[in-house]
Amino acid sequence: MGVVIPLEENKNKQASIQPLVDLTKPGMERVNQLILSKAGSDVQMIPEVANHLISSGGKRLRPMLTLASAALFGYQGDGDVKLSTSVEFMHTATLLHDDVVDESDLRRGKSTARMIWGNQASVLVGDYLLGQAFRMMVEVGSLEALDVLSAAASVIAEGEVLQLSVAKNMETTEDDYLSVIRAKTAALFAAAAEVGPIVAGADKAGRNALKSYGMNLGLAFQLVDDALDYGGKAVDLGKNVGDDFREGKITLPVILAYRRGTQEERAFWREAIEQGHNDDARLEKALGLITKYGALNETIARALHYGTIARDALAPLPETEWKSALMDVIDFCIARVN
Amino acid sequence: MGVVIPLEENKNKQASIQPLVDLTKPGMERVNQLILSKAGSDVQMIPEVANHLISSGGKRLRPMLTLASAALFGYQGDGDVKLSTSVEFMHTATLLHDDVVDESDLRRGKSTARMIWGNQASVLVGDYLLGQAFRMMVEVGSLEALDVLSAAASVIAEGEVLQLSVAKNMETTEDDYLSVIRAKTAALFAAAAEVGPIVAGADKAGRNALKSYGMNLGLAFQLVDDALDYGGKAVDLGKNVGDDFREGKITLPVILAYRRGTQEERAFWREAIEQGHNDDARLEKALGLITKYGALNETIARALHYGTIARDALAPLPETEWKSALMDVIDFCIARVN
């Protein structure tokens, strides 16, 4: 769309998710097997719908976080594989329900399950996966892990409802926005990272470190995601620049451009977001305003802020290849904006 | 609708839910308080949607079953109240999602949540209540109870998907239908009754007795519900005679009338259910065919069969007022057809 994001100073060519992918490879193979087996059912539509989404090429960042967080504390059992799979199922269930709630047609460049099998199947298969997630957690037998993950399930749903209630309202503040992304994205990252030390029997300090790492990584991840929607390449994202704009979604780039704008510009945003006047010409104008007020850079600056907190959360832990891999993920999540 | 159900021989004027209501009154007051508190949230839409459904006058049979099943084994703690509330939340979440899936406008004579707040809020508040249900189960701390209830959550969702896949298909057999109602209704009754003895520390025989009681009571309950749809009074049901017919839902009265019918009658059913030719004249004809083939009586006979199994499941347990109240519930569930 011709918008240049001048972020060269933040670009980190070393930032890569590869060390995490390599270290978790044996564990993720078992996670992937468990995903296929637990998404199975004699009711044929269930594996069809589940596998459509499961095989659609997500990075599986969340289950890798759980595996790495457990390994960081020397965990040797197999509870981490079940908890990782639970985390991925919770995420998948959320995506299935989200696509119904947002009436989305595409996810990661493929038709959403609801476009193929309908809203009904998407709601119900999501419920099934959530039930299976809880069953696996119960199998692991850690009430503390169950506590963390069930609390996350409530908070995620609460965040989604909050998002509905601020939808298309240009008076949404940055704080409102942060509450939404904290609940709907960061809470699951935090839980995914916290159950690792829990299952490994780590102390409270270890749990808190990983929880804080996950929460702040999640915030950075979502901030970058929301920036990418106004500056990324469709082919990388599986979505098109401006999807959030066309859906009237209130994200930080919009909030900042609105608040920093003139009276006339604010009227433009209200018409676009609240009244749905969001054709391509208006998207071009929106991108121009976002650039004019440095709203993308500012959004990335916020992501860097949370990335720093995530980094400091892990700092006191011993230097291992696992820790190094988790540190690299922070840079990776932020650097994908380029 | 002018259809007389000749069930006088099954009518039991003593059958009442009142003994159960009276015995569980102190416990249910605490359940009701917990429902209000756990359906709360700073996100205003959550208590609004939740309370709309919660206050709409359901009997709360499931949480009463949990309280009574725990009391039957002399339980004295407060875990039963939390588990009862979890069970009711699981049920409420299912109703919220069902109304979206079935595109229902009315439930118990009131507008459904989705008609007032939309499908989005119904899906998400259902998810929230499910999350809260699991948090309460975790608070109780019984992994066995968690196992039973999380398995039920998966099975319920699986049953709903199965129902989707047999929907509007007149070749559905009685066995298919039984699989659906076993999963979508009876599994939660079974879990509600089984977690009572679990939390009370009863032995395996006690658990199995209550699980079998709940499962068979649930089957009888749903069979009667499906019979009522072709013979009840709208004012009692909060729904209208023929709702299932108009929705093309395959229930046992329809399956039996279809299988016992002539070629021409079977063609009528296919047109009505599969192709949606279901105006009032056709409903009258359907009711006539159901009467002609004794399909309602036969459905009630099936309910009596499961009721007998439920009764025998409890038989070996000591005679107490709790047991007597649970026995009465069987008759009550079946007798409401008159």
Side-chain angles (χ1 to χ4, degrees):
Chain A
M1 307 296 299
V3 175
V4 177
I5 313 174
L7 281 167
E8 295 307 312
E9 69 276 22
N10 301 326
K11 200 164 182 173
N12 179 347
K13 289 207 187 300
Q14 266 68 53
S16 170
I17 201 173
Q18 204 55 44
L20 182 68
V21 169
D22 292 342
L23 284 171
T24 58
K25 191 155 188 270
M28 285 304 294
E29 277 169 11
R30 294 170 61 209
V31 169
N32 291 334
Q33 279 167 13
L34 197 55
I35 285 175
L36 289 177
S37 114
K38 295 290 180 178
S41 163
D42 292 339
V43 181
Q44 195 187 344
M45 202 193 283
I46 290 179
E48 280 178 13
V49 176
N51 290 335
H52 172 77
L53 192 54
I54 287 167
S55 67
S56 72
K59 285 178 297 300
R60 304 214 172 147
L61 179 54
R62 293 161 191 80
M64 286 195 289
L65 289 182
T66 300
L67 293 180
S69 304
L72 197 59
F73 294 90
Y75 183 65
Q76 298 285 344
D78 63 357
D80 58 345
V81 169
K82 286 182 179 164
L83 291 175
S84 294
T85 308
S86 295
V87 164
E88 185 67 5
F89 274 15
M90 285 175 65
H91 176 55
T92 307
T94 305
L95 296 184
L96 281 166
H97 287 186
D98 267 8
D99 286 340
V100 172
V101 167
D102 295 344
E103 301 176 352
S104 303
D105 302 341
L106 283 181
R107 174 169 298 275
R108 295 181 197 138
K110 284 173 70 175
S111 292
T112 53
R114 75 174 203 98
M115 295 301 288
I116 304 174
W117 291 276
N119 283 340
Q120 305 172 318
S122 296
V123 169
L124 297 174
V125 175
D127 289 353
Y128 179 73
L129 293 178
L130 206 54
Q132 292 292 78
F134 277 103
R135 294 182 76 174
M136 280 185 279
M137 292 175 217
V138 173
E139 281 176 26
V140 175
S142 160
L143 282 168
E144 283 180 303
L146 270 159
D147 188 27
V148 165
L149 287 167
S150 61
S154 281
V155 168
I156 292 166
E158 205 171 20
E160 304 271 359
V161 180
L162 181 61
Q163 185 171 39
L164 272 191
S165 59
V166 302
K168 304 195 179 181
N169 175 1
M170 278 312 306
E171 298 311 318
T172 304
T173 63
E174 178 165 349
D175 282 331
D176 295 331
Y177 165 81
L178 272 177
S179 297
V180 168
I181 69 170
R182 192 180 297 275
K184 80 179 194 99
T185 305
L188 187 57
F189 274 73
E194 190 181 359
V195 294
I198 287 174
V199 78
D203 62 8
K204 188 75 187 160
R207 282 179 53 166
N208 280 344
L210 270 291
K211 177 183 174 179
S212 171
Y213 164 81
M215 180 67 79
N216 287 287
L217 177 67
L219 291 171
F221 179 91
Q222 188 61 55
L223 281 159
V224 170
D225 225 49
D226 291 342
L228 282 170
D229 204 272
Y230 288 96
K233 298 179 200 131
V235 66
D236 296 339
L237 283 170
K239 59 181 184 177
N240 303 306
V241 166
D243 275 352
D244 286 351
F245 180 77
R246 281 182 287 264
E247 288 173 20
K249 216 177 252 182
I250 313 274
T251 59
L252 191 57
V254 170
I255 291 172
L256 294 175
Y258 175 73
R259 296 195 161 252
R260 294 173 178 188
T262 63
Q263 286 278 3
E264 290 73 18
E265 288 163 354
R266 281 205 285 272
F268 161 79
W269 284 111
R270 281 193 299 269
E271 272 180 37
I273 299 288
E274 298 181 350
Q275 285 149 51
H277 299 164
N278 51 24
D279 56 27
D280 282 356
R282 281 163 196 268
L283 173 58
E284 288 288 350
K285 175 161 182 183
L287 289 164
L289 291 175
I290 283 172
T291 305
K292 174 178 173 188
Y293 290 107
L296 279 193
N297 273 357
E298 201 67 48
T299 299
I300 303 305
R302 302 287 203 281
L304 285 166
H305 161 84
Y306 292 109
T308 304
I309 301 175
R311 184 177 304 282
D312 285 328
L314 289 192
L317 298 169
E319 301 301 331
T320 64
E321 56 184 355
W322 288 101
K323 175 174 165 181
S324 165
L326 287 172
M327 290 290 199
D328 283 351
V329 169
I330 304 172
D331 294 327
F332 166 77
C333 283
I334 297 171
R336 71 201 166 106
V337 83
N338 282 311
Chain B
M1 305 297 301
V3 175
V4 176
I5 314 174
L7 282 167
E8 295 307 311
E9 69 276 22
N10 301 327
K11 200 163 180 172
N12 180 347
K13 288 206 187 302
Q14 266 68 55
S16 170
I17 199 173
Q18 203 55 45
L20 182 68
V21 170
D22 292 342
L23 284 170
T24 57
K25 191 156 187 268
M28 284 304 293
E29 277 170 11
R30 294 169 62 209
V31 168
N32 291 333
Q33 279 165 14
L34 196 56
I35 285 175
L36 289 177
S37 115
K38 295 291 180 178
S41 164
D42 292 340
V43 181
Q44 196 188 342
M45 201 193 284
I46 291 179
E48 280 178 15
V49 175
N51 290 335
H52 172 76
L53 191 55
I54 287 166
S55 68
S56 72
K59 286 179 296 301
R60 305 214 170 145
L61 179 54
R62 294 162 191 80
M64 285 194 290
L65 289 181
T66 300
L67 293 180
S69 303
L72 197 59
F73 294 89
Y75 183 64
Q76 298 285 342
D78 64 357
D80 58 344
V81 170
K82 284 181 180 164
L83 291 175
S84 295
T85 308
S86 294
V87 164
E88 184 67 5
F89 273 16
M90 285 174 66
H91 176 55
T92 307
T94 304
L95 297 184
L96 280 166
H97 287 185
D98 268 8
D99 286 339
V100 172
V101 167
D102 296 343
E103 300 176 353
S104 304
D105 302 342
L106 282 181
R107 175 171 296 276
R108 295 181 196 138
K110 284 173 70 175
S111 292
T112 53
R114 76 175 201 97
M115 295 301 288
I116 304 174
W117 291 278
N119 282 341
Q120 305 171 317
S122 296
V123 170
L124 297 174
V125 174
D127 289 352
Y128 178 73
L129 292 178
L130 206 55
Q132 292 291 80
F134 278 102
R135 294 182 76 174
M136 279 185 281
M137 293 172 214
V138 173
E139 281 177 25
V140 175
S142 160
L143 281 169
E144 283 180 303
L146 270 159
D147 188 27
V148 166
L149 288 167
S150 61
S154 281
V155 169
I156 292 166
E158 206 171 19
E160 304 270 359
V161 181
L162 180 61
Q163 185 171 39
L164 272 190
S165 58
V166 302
K168 303 194 180 181
N169 176 0
M170 278 313 306
E171 299 311 317
T172 304
T173 63
E174 178 166 349
D175 281 331
D176 295 332
Y177 164 80
L178 272 177
S179 297
V180 168
I181 69 170
R182 193 180 297 275
K184 80 180 192 97
T185 305
L188 188 56
F189 274 73
E194 190 181 359
V195 294
I198 288 175
V199 77
D203 61 10
K204 188 75 186 159
R207 282 179 55 166
N208 280 344
L210 269 291
K211 178 183 172 179
S212 171
Y213 165 81
M215 181 67 80
N216 287 288
L217 177 68
L219 291 171
F221 180 91
Q222 188 62 55
L223 281 159
V224 170
D225 225 49
D226 290 343
L228 282 170
D229 205 90
Y230 287 96
K233 298 179 199 133
V235 65
D236 296 340
L237 283 171
K239 59 180 184 178
N240 302 307
V241 166
D243 275 352
D244 287 351
F245 180 77
R246 280 181 288 264
E247 288 172 20
K249 214 176 254 181
I250 313 273
T251 59
L252 191 56
V254 170
I255 291 171
L256 294 175
Y258 175 74
R259 297 194 160 252
R260 295 173 178 189
T262 64
Q263 287 278 3
E264 289 74 19
E265 288 163 353
R266 282 205 284 273
F268 161 79
W269 283 111
R270 281 193 298 269
E271 273 180 38
I273 299 289
E274 297 181 351
Q275 286 150 51
H277 298 165
N278 52 23
D279 56 26
D280 282 356
R282 282 164 196 267
L283 173 59
E284 288 288 351
K285 175 160 183 184
L287 289 164
L289 292 174
I290 283 172
T291 304
K292 174 178 174 188
Y293 290 106
L296 279 194
N297 273 357
E298 201 66 49
T299 300
I300 303 304
R302 302 287 203 280
L304 285 165
H305 161 85
Y306 292 110
T308 304
I309 301 174
R311 184 176 304 281
D312 284 328
L314 289 192
L317 297 169
E319 301 300 329
T320 63
E321 56 184 356
W322 288 102
K323 175 174 165 180
S324 165
L326 287 172
M327 290 290 199
D328 284 350
V329 169
I330 304 172
D331 294 327
F332 166 78
C333 283
I334 297 172
R336 70 200 166 108
V337 83
N338 283 311

